[in-house]
Amino acid sequence: LPCLPAAIHQGIAASRLNSSMPGHSVALLVQTELCQGTTLQSWLDMRSPPEQVSKETEDTSEAAVEPDAYCASLSLELGFAEKLAKACREFHKAGLVHRDLRAHGLLVVETGRATVLKVDSFDLECAESDSQHQEAVARDMLASALIILELLLPSSWSDDAREAAVLALEQHGECPAFIEDCMPGHAALLRRMASPLEMRPAAAEVHAELKRLRPRA
């Protein structure tokens, strides 16, 4: 059981050494949390367009915006992006990979004090070898990039425009010109996360960079 925390491994080893002695057995406990919320995809679909951000243009899919105002309007979305990167950092550090990160599989939960993003653990698993683990980690990073891009795109964009933007990042490593213009730091990070497997940043680096790029109040 290579993915179990070190403390559990130590307990199992102690149990084997003392198997003939009563009171030295080890039990594995799994703590779960019942979350009632909506999927991130549904939350994205229900978002209202930010007020007083877009200027009227003939092309509504590429509406001109004030970069500072647009970034300020995404405080919750940027918080979700940080939460996702932090979750990846923690389970990658524990030797686990997710393999199925997508907006349909994440939950947005109202706690009464805040709106938070929850990453499910049903698809966490161990890779069979170090090379497979590194490849799976890199795939988690690409999946995270696609989710973060969806968080950053204007809610006023059509489903077709959003789908095309996500596909361009996934297949060609390209960010929409809109994001390049308004959020160049985030665009550069997303392009790195969608680069060839061996060049993608680790989750810890992504989390640190998202925190650095966070708009200052």
Side-chain angles (χ1 to χ4, degrees), residues 39-191:
T39 67
L40 177 60
Q41 188 61 62
S42 295
W43 185 86
L44 288 168
D45 293 341
M46 293 186 296
R47 280 189 311 171
S48 299
E51 297 181 1
Q52 299 179 348
V53 173
S54 298
K55 295 178 178 178
E56 291 185 4
T57 64
E58 293 181 359
D59 185 358
T60 56
S61 68
E62 290 286 350
V65 302
E66 297 291 346
D68 291 342
Y70 185 71
C71 290
S73 75
L74 293 178
S75 59
L76 188 55
E77 287 85 347
L78 291 172
F80 286 173
E82 286 186 33
K83 172 67 175 180
L84 175 60
K86 183 178 180 180
C88 288
R89 181 192 71 185
E90 294 305 312
F91 57 69
H92 288 168
K93 186 168 63 175
L96 300 169
V97 290
H98 196 284
R99 294 188 184 274
D100 193 32
L101 284 171
R102 53 198 178 95
H104 286 286
L106 305 178
L107 281 179
V108 177
V109 179
E110 299 282 352
T111 66
R113 294 174 297 176
T115 302
V116 297
L117 184 71
K118 297 284 187 178
V119 181
D120 75 78
S121 59
F122 293 112
D123 292 296
L124 291 178
E125 60 181 68
C126 298
E128 294 182 0
S129 66
D130 288 343
S131 61
Q132 289 181 350
H133 175 76
Q134 292 305 318
E135 181 178 344
V137 163
R139 295 188 187 283
D140 278 350
M141 288 297 91
L142 174 59
S144 298
L146 303 181
I147 294 170
I148 293 172
L149 176 59
E150 288 195 76
L151 287 166
L152 300 185
L153 290 175
S155 56
S156 58
W157 279 25
S158 68
D159 291 343
D160 288 344
R162 297 175 68 86
E163 183 177 346
V166 171
L167 197 62
L169 179 62
E170 180 178 17
Q171 296 186 349
H172 307 293
E174 299 174 354
C175 273
F178 174 85
I179 300 297
E180 295 280 3
D181 292 340
C182 284
M183 310 179 77
H186 289 84
L189 178 60
L190 291 175
R191 282 189 271 104

Side-chain angles (χ1 to χ4, degrees), residues 18-36:
N18 298 282
S19 57
S20 60
M21 299 175 62
H24 287 82
S25 60
V26 174
L28 175 61
L29 302 180
V30 178
Q31 181 176 354
T32 61
E33 178 183 5
L34 176 62
C35 296
Q36 295 182 331

